[in-house]
């Protein structure tokens, strides 16, 4: 997957989806030559170490076992349950509910909380658009709280001022898999007894004060979409220690799984399939080893990049003890690079085979977000003038600056060797040396 400096997050995901499609074709071929699965595996192993996703005969066998069993849905199969138990064990949560996607997990949690029209939900602007969509899907009003540039995460100091009488939920994100200061947010939520839902869709097994993210607030939501560190193409999960909340989530996520629990006349179908669970169980078997490799490489890369003036890796939020390393996020200060614009910096890296993304563009002022003010349902619920004022209020100046100077490497880069990390640092240092020329070119 090649990332050009000009590609947006959408393009980035498109690239990931294309890579996934290519591997599906590989799988079809491997299945057709079922007598020789070892040959197909060997052929794959010969490819790049950072190719994504990784799969082997285990994944293939899991899928075929489900196919042959005829038990394809969670109602009659056992693999979804097995995965939920394994994921709860991995995260140290009491309960896990698997869902059809990370978005499905968020929609389920907001549905179980009965978030709806008139309710405000606090979120950061430095996130994937799905966080925002989960709120607007329930016709609630998203309220942006600016970013702490050192961590790239929601600034917990700015949360109290955003809480109003209409606030019903705080939805912080552990962006990049790096832990945000969720404990400070839980503290800010306490006086009003507001629930805190962690969007941990990039943060499988990230930790705050030694405990997994998703267990600090009411619940945490995770994604297993194709680009994510743990994937079945699509899929998601919600973890919680609150059994009553779990029961409401189970009821909301399935038209027929509710133990008679009433969820305000609303619900959906956000169930994971047995096929996805089979793949996730196979992926889970290699997940911790991959995470250890990402972590070791990320720490080594940080030690190298910290020596380069103008490159500042993102720090963990207060209390953060482990990142999931979905994104390796850093600041690029062009003043230390002879004012070489970020786009040209990224171009120069790409030329050396070190593809990096410029990261998120400001979500809070995007066309997608602004369109909400023109949405007739929102105008009816909140009023046309209130929606116009909402657009004016969605200012996050710190985040705007961060979006201009941020860059990321995707998680797959961290699956390379130590030598690969050294090469990243060497290429950046050489670009810095040539920055004057490159700026003129
Ligand atoms: C991927 C992601 C989601 C949505 O997950 P899907 O499985 O793609 O629906 C939500 N929030 C964040 C921060 C994500 O990265």
């Amino acid at each position: 997957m090649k990332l050009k400096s000009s590609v947006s997050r959408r393009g980035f995901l498109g690239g990931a989806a294309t890579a996934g499609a290519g591997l599906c074709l590989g799988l079809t071929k491997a299945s057709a030559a079922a007598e020789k699965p070892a040959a197909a595996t060997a052929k794959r192993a010969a490819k790049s170490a950072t190719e994504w996703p990784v799969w082997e005969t285990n994944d293939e066998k899991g899928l075929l076992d489900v196919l042959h069993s005829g038990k394809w849905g969670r109602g009659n199969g056992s693999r979804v349950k097995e995965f939920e138990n394994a994921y709860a064990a991995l995260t140290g949560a009491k309960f896990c509910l698997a869902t059809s996607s990370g978005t499905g997990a968020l929609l389920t949690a907001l549905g179980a909380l009965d978030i709806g029209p008139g309710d405000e939900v606090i979120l950061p602007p430095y996130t994937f658009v799905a966080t925002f969509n989960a709120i607007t899907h329930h016709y609630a009003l998203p309220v942006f709280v600016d970013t702490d540039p050192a961590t790239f995460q929601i600034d917990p100091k700015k949360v109290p001022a955003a809480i109003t009488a209409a606030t019903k939920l705080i939805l912080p994100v552990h962006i990049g898999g790096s832990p945000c200061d969720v404990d400070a947010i839980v503290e800010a939520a306490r006086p009003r007894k507001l629930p805190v839902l962690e969007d941990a869709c990039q943060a499988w097994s990230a930790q705050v004060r030694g405990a997994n993210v998703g267990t600090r607030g009411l619940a945490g939501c995770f994604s297993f979409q194709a680009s994510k560190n743990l994937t079945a193409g699509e899929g998601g999960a919600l973890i919680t220690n609150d059994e009553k909340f779990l029961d409401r989530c189970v009821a909301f996520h399935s038209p027929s799984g509710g133990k008679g629990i009433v969820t305000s006349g609303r619900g959906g179908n956000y169930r994971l399939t047995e096929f996805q669970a089979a793949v996730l169980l196979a992926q889970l078997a290699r997940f911790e080893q991959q995470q250890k490799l990402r972590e070791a490489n990320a720490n080594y890369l940080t030690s190298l990049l910290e020596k380069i003036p103008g490159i500042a890796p993102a720090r963990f939020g207060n209390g953060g003890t482990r990142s999931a390393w979905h994104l390796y996020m850093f600041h690029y200060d062009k003043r230390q690079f002879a004012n070489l614009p970020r786009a040209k910096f990224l171009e120069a890296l790409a030329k050396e085979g070190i593809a990096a993304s410029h990261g998120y563009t400001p979500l809070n002022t995007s066309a997608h977000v602004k369109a909400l003010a023109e949405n007739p349902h929102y105008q009816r619920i909140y009023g046309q003038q209130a929606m116009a004022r909402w657009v004016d209020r969605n200012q996050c100046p710190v985040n705007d600056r961060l979006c201009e100077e941020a860059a990321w490497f995707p998680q797959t880069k961290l699956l390379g060797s130590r030598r690969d990390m050294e090469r990243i640092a060497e290429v950046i240092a050489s670009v810095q040396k040539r920055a004057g020329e490159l700026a003129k070119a």
Side-chain angles (χ1 to χ4, degrees), residues 303-321:
S303 74
L304 301 172
L305 295 186
E306 274 174 350
K307 291 179 196 143
I308 303 177
I311 300 292
R315 294 210 303 264
F316 291 1
N318 221 355
T321 42

Side-chain angles (χ1 to χ4, degrees), residues 400-417:
D400 291 347
R401 278 200 301 284
L402 176 68
C403 288
E404 280 169 20
E405 62 172 49
W408 315 324
F409 295 119
Q411 52 97 358
T412 48
K413 267 264 179 300
L414 301 173
L415 291 174
S417 63

Side-chain angles (χ1 to χ4, degrees), residues 105-116 121 131 134-136 138 140 169 171 197 238 245 249 252 266:
L106 290 165
L107 290 175
T108 296
L110 268 74
L113 288 165
D114 202 28
I115 302 292
V121 178
T131 315
I135 300 166
T136 57
H138 286 288
L169 174 69
L171 181 51
L197 178 69
L238 180 154
F245 182 65
C249 289
F252 192 91
R266 305 191 306 130

Side-chain angles (χ1 to χ4, degrees), residues 101-103 106 127-128 130-131 173 175 199 201-202 223 225 228 235:
S101 66
T103 301
L106 290 165
T127 187
F128 182 47
T131 315
V173 181
I175 207 65
D199 180 339
C201 282
Q202 301 183 359
S223 166
Q225 179 268 346
K228 307 291 165 93

Side-chain angles (χ1 to χ4, degrees), residues 9 13 100-106 126-132 173-176 199-202 204 221-228 233-236 326 360:
R9 172 67 176 163
L13 284 174
S100 50
S101 66
T103 301
L106 290 165
Y126 202 77
T127 187
F128 182 47
V129 64
T131 315
F132 175 87
V173 181
H174 301 285
I175 207 65
D199 180 339
C201 282
Q202 301 183 359
W204 329 261
C221 295
F222 298 83
S223 166
F224 310 126
Q225 179 268 346
S227 71
K228 307 291 165 93
E234 300 283 0
H326 179 57
Y360 295 125

Side-chain angles (χ1 to χ4, degrees), residues 281-294:
L281 282 165
Q283 295 284 324
L284 207 52
R286 60 182 79 89
F287 175 72
E288 291 202 71
Q289 212 178 344
Q290 289 172 336
Q291 287 299 92
K292 276 193 190 130
L293 178 60
R294 289 184 183 103

